[in-house]
Amino acid sequence: MTSLHSLTSYTTRFHHTLYLSPSTWLPLVLSRLLLYLISFFFFDFLIPLAAMKFHALINEFCVAKPLKNKWRNQSRRINCSKYLCFLLMFSIVLLVFLCHLFFFSIDARPSSHHHSMKKIHSLVGESSSQDSCLGRYIYIHDLPMRFNQDLLTNCQVLTRSIDKTSMCEYVQNSGFGPQIISSEASDLWNSNWFWTNQFMLEVIFHDRMKKYECLTNDSLVASAIFVPYYAGLDLRRYLWGFNTSMRDSSGLDLINWLKQKPQWKTMWGKDHFLVSSRIARDFRRKSNRKSDWGSNFRFLPESKNLSMLTIESGPWKNDIAVPYPTSFHPSSDDQVLQWQNLMRTQNRPYLFSFAGASRTRQKNSTRKEIIRHCQSSNKLCKLLDCNSVGHECDDPLKLMNLFRSSIFCLQPPGDSLTRRSTFDSILAGCIPVFFHPGSAYTQYLWYLPKNYSNYSVFISANDLKLGKVRIEEKLVTVSKDEVASMREEVIRLIPRIIYGDRRSGLESVEDDAFDLAIEGVLKRVDRLRGSDL
């Protein structure tokens, strides 16, 4: 693998620079210099000298001379004729030599280069079947630690006074958080489940990138470049009580650092990507008023070239939505299959369920209507009120027990359009019910089927608020066959929306959320590279 990687590296660099060593370009330079010197001697000295001599001969023998005297000085004419013949022959030979030298310097060297390239491509072609990394190499920027590791080392600055748990708790296990120890007999609960915080996605992704099978230290052969900047965690420090300059400082420092690197100049950042555990809107503050939310990082001109993987995108083309991290991080395909089979055999006594808070500060809240419908559904709905005491909504086991006992799981917007709960419900084999297209259908295009009716139900939030539809009446009309089909589709999505545990070094055959993100990034960069040509 190492030798093939070196060969691929050499081939790629060969396309960027034709000659790489003095032994290759020095002969060409010398031949060019000799050509110019001989050309100067020939055209600026010999030809004018020959012209002057010829002009003198004409004057001597033909100008103002009677015809009868043309045979005088016959010996001198013979000598001059010999001289002219010699000069003419010398000129012809010199011209042939110059042409030969010129075409040799132009054609012979590229011919050798072409032969070398054919040989290299032949070697790569013979080995391409053995190198699954061709076109998949990724280079990781070695950022100053203030952009990532220092945030974890000083994790106490990430914790707010109103947080129920210190953020330092979630840093452990490469961002998965503390491992869940359950009293249940199932080994699935005791080895693959963690108290994972959604804001640790940047840490989780970075750790997976370090174990990516196609990393390279040579940025010239990389198809994409990863920027391990913990954008969401960095911003979290300054979101409350700090002015806009503090919120913007790290993003600006990062861009200035990247611009100084030669990797940036290759595509001016269009082949670079980073990950954010916050929604895209948090990095698009439109003014410098202290009361405005977020930073202006994504409005920086250079930042617009970066691709950002984020838990919630928006109308901007350079942001791509990836799944929220759940608490399930299996280390093998068998563990995923066991969980999928377990979800297929669950008893689901509730028609639908909802886990969330009412959002009383929001006018015309969809959640308020959902809670009212759930409470009046005559035990068809199970409600887990996140406003209640006990932190039950933060307990992955309680959430899973709720969702895997329900046929449908309601997923209304909250502080933003998307929710982590969407992926928790999919993980539990519970069919999600959405009330806004932006909660999933226009978001996770690399992960969820285009035909959303195959795995979900849509209810218009406006129709719900106007009383045009009742949730239980809508869901009761879904036939058992349709429910079985949708549930199977949801269960098949489970491997695509989880972030597996690769710390043990075990490889997984089926792609997870990380693998699909990398695949999508590589295709995106390749498309951008093609559009620039």
Side-chain angles (χ1 to χ4, degrees), residues 143-317:
L143 295 183
M145 295 179 66
R146 68 179 184 275
F147 292 118
N148 42 49
Q149 185 58 44
D150 285 352
L151 296 170
L152 306 184
T153 303
N154 303 314
C155 56
Q156 65 276 3
V157 302
L158 303 175
T159 305
R160 299 182 299 161
S161 59
I162 62 173
D163 287 339
K164 301 170 185 176
T165 305
S166 170
M167 291 295 290
C168 295
E169 291 291 320
Y170 300 115
V171 170
Q172 57 185 292
N173 292 316
S174 301
F176 291 154
Q179 189 170 352
I180 294 176
I181 305 299
S182 171
S183 59
E184 295 190 23
S186 174
D187 290 334
L188 291 176
W189 288 102
N190 290 323
S191 59
N192 309 298
W193 289 80
F194 300 81
W195 295 83
T196 303
N197 186 291
Q198 70 181 55
F199 295 113
M200 288 293 122
L201 176 60
E202 298 154 356
V203 182
I204 295 171
F205 205 95
H206 188 194
D207 186 71
R208 282 290 299 272
M209 278 302 312
K210 293 175 184 177
K211 299 174 178 61
Y212 178 59
E213 61 180 345
C214 296
L215 289 182
T216 178
N217 292 324
D218 187 351
S219 61
L220 288 176
V221 305
S223 297
I225 297 177
F226 177 56
V227 182
Y229 171 46
Y230 297 169
L233 292 178
D234 182 55
L235 179 60
R236 182 182 176 88
R237 296 182 297 171
Y238 305 119
L239 272 176
W240 299 273
F242 290 89
N243 58 32
T244 57
S245 297
M246 287 297 296
R247 287 181 252 159
D248 299 341
S249 58
S250 292
L252 184 59
D253 287 347
L254 174 72
I255 292 299
N256 289 332
W257 187 92
L258 289 173
K259 288 193 302 182
Q260 304 303 316
K261 299 300 174 182
Q263 293 84 6
W264 180 267
K265 297 177 177 62
T266 302
M267 291 182 64
W268 304 109
K270 291 183 180 180
D271 55 349
H272 288 49
F273 72 101
L274 72 159
V275 178
S276 169
S277 59
R278 304 195 70 90
I279 65 175
R281 191 180 63 201
D282 288 350
F283 302 95
R284 285 183 162 82
R285 192 193 65 250
K286 295 182 179 180
S287 79
N288 287 326
R289 292 193 301 268
K290 184 178 179 179
S291 59
D292 283 356
W293 180 258
S295 77
N296 68 346
F297 174 59
R298 297 298 278 156
F299 280 145
L300 297 176
E302 296 84 359
S303 179
K304 294 178 181 179
N305 286 345
L306 294 168
S307 297
M308 186 170 76
L309 307 182
T310 173
I311 55 175
E312 179 181 312
S313 63
W316 309 281
K317 295 182 179 180

Side-chain angles (χ1 to χ4, degrees), residues 248-423:
D248 299 341
S249 58
S250 292
L252 184 59
D253 287 347
L254 174 72
I255 292 299
N256 289 332
W257 187 92
L258 289 173
K259 288 193 302 182
Q260 304 303 316
K261 299 300 174 182
Q263 293 84 6
W264 180 267
K265 297 177 177 62
T266 302
M267 291 182 64
W268 304 109
K270 291 183 180 180
D271 55 349
H272 288 49
F273 72 101
L274 72 159
V275 178
S276 169
S277 59
R278 304 195 70 90
I279 65 175
R281 191 180 63 201
D282 288 350
F283 302 95
R284 285 183 162 82
R285 192 193 65 250
K286 295 182 179 180
S287 79
N288 287 326
R289 292 193 301 268
K290 184 178 179 179
S291 59
D292 283 356
W293 180 258
S295 77
N296 68 346
F297 174 59
R298 297 298 278 156
F299 280 145
L300 297 176
E302 296 84 359
S303 179
K304 294 178 181 179
N305 286 345
L306 294 168
S307 297
M308 186 170 76
L309 307 182
T310 173
I311 55 175
E312 179 181 312
S313 63
W316 309 281
K317 295 182 179 180
N318 53 359
D319 295 330
I320 303 98
V322 296
Y324 286 71
T326 67
S327 292
F328 184 48
H329 305 288
S331 58
S332 69
D333 290 336
D334 287 342
Q335 293 170 350
V336 178
L337 290 173
Q338 290 179 50
W339 180 259
Q340 287 176 298
N341 290 332
L342 183 62
M343 293 305 99
R344 290 186 176 100
T345 59
Q346 290 297 297
N347 178 35
R348 301 178 185 271
Y350 299 107
L351 177 63
F352 61 104
S353 63
F354 174 63
S358 59
R359 294 293 192 274
T360 55
R361 291 178 298 176
Q362 297 179 358
K363 295 181 179 180
N364 299 321
S365 171
T366 304
R367 291 188 174 207
K368 182 178 179 180
E369 287 297 317
I370 285 175
I371 292 174
R372 186 174 65 83
H373 279 236
C374 185
Q375 290 173 337
S376 62
S377 65
N378 194 23
K379 298 183 179 180
L380 291 176
C381 175
K382 177 68 174 178
L383 175 65
L384 184 60
D385 188 358
C386 295
N387 281 333
S388 62
V389 180
H391 304 169
E392 291 188 346
C393 288
D394 297 327
D395 188 337
L397 298 184
K398 292 186 180 297
L399 282 175
M400 283 297 106
N401 287 333
L402 172 67
F403 292 155
R404 66 180 183 163
S405 64
S406 307
I407 299 174
F408 298 97
C409 292
L410 308 185
Q411 304 297 342
D415 293 330
S416 66
L417 292 175
T418 62
R419 306 180 73 205
R420 169 178 168 164
S421 178
T422 294
F423 299 98

Side-chain angles (χ1 to χ4, degrees), residues 3-13 124 131 134 137 221:
S3 60
L4 184 58
H5 177 266
S6 300
L7 180 61
T8 307
S9 173
Y10 174 74
T11 305
T12 306
R13 289 197 300 267
V124 174
D131 184 10
L134 288 177
Y137 285 110
V221 305

Side-chain angles (χ1 to χ4, degrees), residues 32-42:
R32 286 286 195 278
L33 182 59
L34 183 60
L35 174 64
Y36 294 146
L37 290 175
I38 294 176
S39 300
F40 173 81
F41 180 78
F42 180 77

